[in-house]
């Protein structure tokens, strides 16, 4: 596994000008040991289209929590057929889910932040850790303007939450408008929840459409007030 220092990563970032630059560097560097994570939001459709043009045999994975919207499964199917992708679907541990639901209830996440984080940990974090443990790098659809936590993220960074592997965020500098324009101009498959006001997509009971004037990620865990809301998949850059 190639290891990078922060100085090396800074030098790499200084040379990357476009999302395609980042993706070409990533595949040249990591080959089959890098995969794209997808929750099937608008950003994921964009990055998927970019990746296939660079590496038609690229790996893609997703976390099926068991609580996703049907529209999310539909776009997974559409992307699979459009690009010939076989998504590596990661599922949570059945016994852990059963124990959590038996002791905490099916909708435990509404009761407290601790319960919500527990649910995210079992349904998302553990499956993510499992697949990332087999990789040297992963690709996301993160953007800086999604929330304050992501505002300091870089195109290429060391993921210290996951053993120091490399994390590539090719569209980190893009705006929401750029994402929508790309989808429209390329006529690529996208999650139809977007048409219903869902600007950020997660599990069905934990995601709602945003209201006029709200932050793009306001629909995630809307009953919580913490501006740094995350599910534990991505590091808190504000704490560095």
């Amino acid at each position: 596994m190639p290891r990078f220092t922060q100085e090396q990563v800074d030098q790499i970032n200084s040379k990357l000008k476009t999302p395609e630059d980042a993706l070409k560097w990533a595949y040249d560097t990591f080959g089959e040991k890098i995969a794209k994570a997808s929750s099937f939001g608008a950003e994921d459709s964009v990055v998927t289209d970019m990746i296939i043009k660079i590496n038609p045999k690229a790996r893609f994975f997703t976390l099926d929590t068991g609580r996703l919207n049907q529209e999310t499964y539909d776009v997974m199917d559409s992307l699979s057929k459009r690009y010939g992708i076989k998504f590596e679907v990661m599922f949570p541990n059945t016994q852990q889910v059963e124990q959590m639901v038996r002791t905490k209830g099916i909708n435990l996440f509404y009761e407290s932040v601790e319960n919500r984080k527990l649910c995210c940990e079992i349904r998302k974090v553990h499956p993510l850790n499992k697949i990332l443990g087999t990789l040297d790098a992963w690709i996301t659809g993160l953007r800086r303007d999604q929330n304050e936590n992501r505002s300091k993220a870089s195109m290429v960074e060391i993921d210290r939450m996951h053993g120091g592997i490399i994390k590539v965020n090719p569209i980190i500098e893009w705006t929401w408008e750029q994402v929508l324009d790309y989808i429209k101009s390329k006529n690529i498959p996208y999650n139809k929840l977007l048409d219903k006001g869902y600007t950020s997509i997660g599990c069905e009971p934990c995601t709602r459409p945003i209201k006029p004037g709200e932050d793009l990620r306001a629909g995630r865990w809307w009953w919580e007030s913490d501006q740094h809301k995350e599910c534990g998949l991505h590091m808190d850059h504000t704490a560095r």
Side-chain angles (χ1 to χ4, degrees), residues 7 40-41 75 90 103 111 139 141 165 188 196:
E7 182 179 4
F40 301 103
V75 73
M90 305 299 296
T103 59
E111 302 298 326
I139 301 168
I165 67 174
I188 60 178
K196 301 177 182 179

Side-chain angles (χ1 to χ4, degrees), residues 3 13 27 29 32 77 80 102 123 143 177 204 218:
R3 290 287 182 176
N13 278 314
Y27 286 106
T29 304
E32 294 183 353
D77 189 52
S80 296
R102 286 170 182 165
R123 294 183 184 273
R143 294 183 301 102
E177 288 70 26
E204 189 277 333

Side-chain angles (χ1 to χ4, degrees), residues 67 69 107 109-110 113 116 198 200-211 214-227 229-230:
R67 302 298 301 266
N69 296 79
N107 288 330
F109 32 80
Y110 295 134
V113 174
R116 195 271 293 172
Y198 289 76
S200 181
I201 296 169
C203 292
E204 189 277 333
C206 298
T207 314
R208 65 159 172 76
I210 63 169
K211 300 173 183 177
E214 283 190 322
D215 179 86
L216 290 174
R217 278 178 62 84
R220 300 294 291 275
W221 313 296
W222 66 92
W223 61 92
E224 297 179 17
S225 59
D226 184 2
Q227 62 183 342
K229 289 183 293 186
E230 290 283 4

Side-chain angles (χ1 to χ4, degrees), residues 36-207:
K36 167 72 176 73
S38 183
S39 59
F40 301 103
E43 292 87 354
D44 293 312
S45 289
V46 169
V47 177
T48 296
D49 184 78
M50 292 177 174
I51 288 174
I52 291 298
K53 292 174 181 176
I54 293 171
N55 183 1
K57 297 182 179 181
R59 294 175 61 188
F60 296 82
F61 72 87
T62 187
L63 310 177
D64 187 341
T65 64
R67 302 298 301 266
L68 304 179
N69 296 79
Q70 181 58 42
E71 289 89 344
T72 298
Y73 294 112
D74 289 342
V75 73
M76 184 195 305
D77 189 52
S78 296
L79 289 168
S80 296
K81 292 176 179 176
R82 171 76 170 264
Y83 300 113
I85 297 171
K86 292 184 179 180
F87 286 97
E88 299 175 42
V89 183
M90 305 299 296
F91 295 95
N93 179 279
T94 302
Q95 292 182 334
Q96 291 181 347
V97 173
E98 290 177 349
Q99 178 65 19
M100 175 180 67
V101 172
R102 286 170 182 165
T103 59
K104 300 282 189 176
I106 193 68
N107 288 330
L108 69 157
F109 32 80
Y110 295 134
E111 302 298 326
S112 68
V113 174
E114 291 73 23
N115 278 1
R116 195 271 293 172
K117 289 185 177 180
L118 173 65
C119 192
C120 287
E121 181 177 359
I122 290 175
R123 294 183 184 273
K124 300 171 73 173
V125 176
H126 291 176
L128 178 71
N129 291 344
K130 182 177 180 180
I131 190 167
L132 291 189
T134 70
L135 300 173
D136 292 341
W138 61 307
I139 301 168
T140 81
L142 297 186
R143 294 183 301 102
R144 286 197 186 118
D145 68 358
Q146 287 174 324
N147 63 18
E148 184 176 348
N149 177 38
R150 301 175 181 185
S151 63
K152 297 181 181 179
S154 302
M155 193 172 283
V156 175
E157 54 189 9
I158 300 171
D159 189 346
R160 294 180 175 84
M161 283 182 62
H162 299 105
I165 67 174
I166 289 296
K167 185 175 179 180
V168 182
N169 311 306
I171 60 170
I172 194 69
E173 298 177 356
W174 275 34
T175 64
W176 179 240
E177 288 70 26
Q178 284 178 285
V179 171
L180 298 182
D181 287 345
Y182 189 100
I183 289 174
K184 183 177 180 180
S185 65
K186 305 293 184 182
N187 191 30
I188 60 178
Y190 67 92
N191 197 316
K192 299 307 179 184
L193 289 173
L194 183 63
D195 297 334
K196 301 177 182 179
Y198 289 76
T199 51
S200 181
I201 296 169
C203 292
E204 189 277 333
C206 298
T207 314

